[in-house]
Amino acid sequence: MCNYIQLIYNSDIKRIDFNCGIDILNFIKNYPHVDSYNYKRTVIKSQWGSYSNFVRNMIDNNCYVHLLIDMYYISAYKNNYGREHYSHNITIYGYDEMFFYVVETLQRLY
């Protein structure tokens, strides 16, 4: 099995992104050879106990996890951290004992 993530370069805004303004969930569903699943939060909590356990289990089963995060709660996003709620797409592709490995498309996080 091969994992594939398509990124699009938008020359108008000089940025590579997952979706460039397109609804990402509908966009991903149209990729050939890609399965897309949506889980309710209650299912994740009841089956895995925590979001971290869910993500680790998915990665252990060769699945990337694409999700929306709120930049307000993540210190790497210094412009938003603790100041402004802003949803942003990321994809988690791996982990170790301390960190999740994330594909990020924003410039100037710091």
Side-chain angles (χ1 to χ4, degrees), residues 20-51:
C20 289
I22 300 171
D23 178 10
I24 189 66
L25 295 178
N26 289 328
F27 195 59
I28 289 173
K29 288 177 184 178
N30 290 318
Y31 288 160
H33 313 293
V34 172
D35 293 326
S36 176
Y37 304 96
N38 297 312
Y39 292 94
K40 291 185 177 186
R41 292 177 181 154
T42 55
V43 171
I44 292 172
K45 285 289 208 180
S46 68
Q47 296 298 311
W48 286 274
S50 72
Y51 300 119

Side-chain angles (χ1 to χ4, degrees), residues 2 23 37 39 76 95 101-102:
C2 178
D23 178 10
Y37 304 96
Y39 292 94
Y95 68 93
Y101 303 128
V102 175

Side-chain angles (χ1 to χ4, degrees), residues 5 55 59 63-65 91-95 100-104:
I5 297 175
V55 170
I59 292 168
C63 297
Y64 293 128
V65 178
T91 299
I92 302 173
Y93 66 91
Y95 68 93
F100 286 110
Y101 303 128
V102 175
V103 175
E104 173 55 71

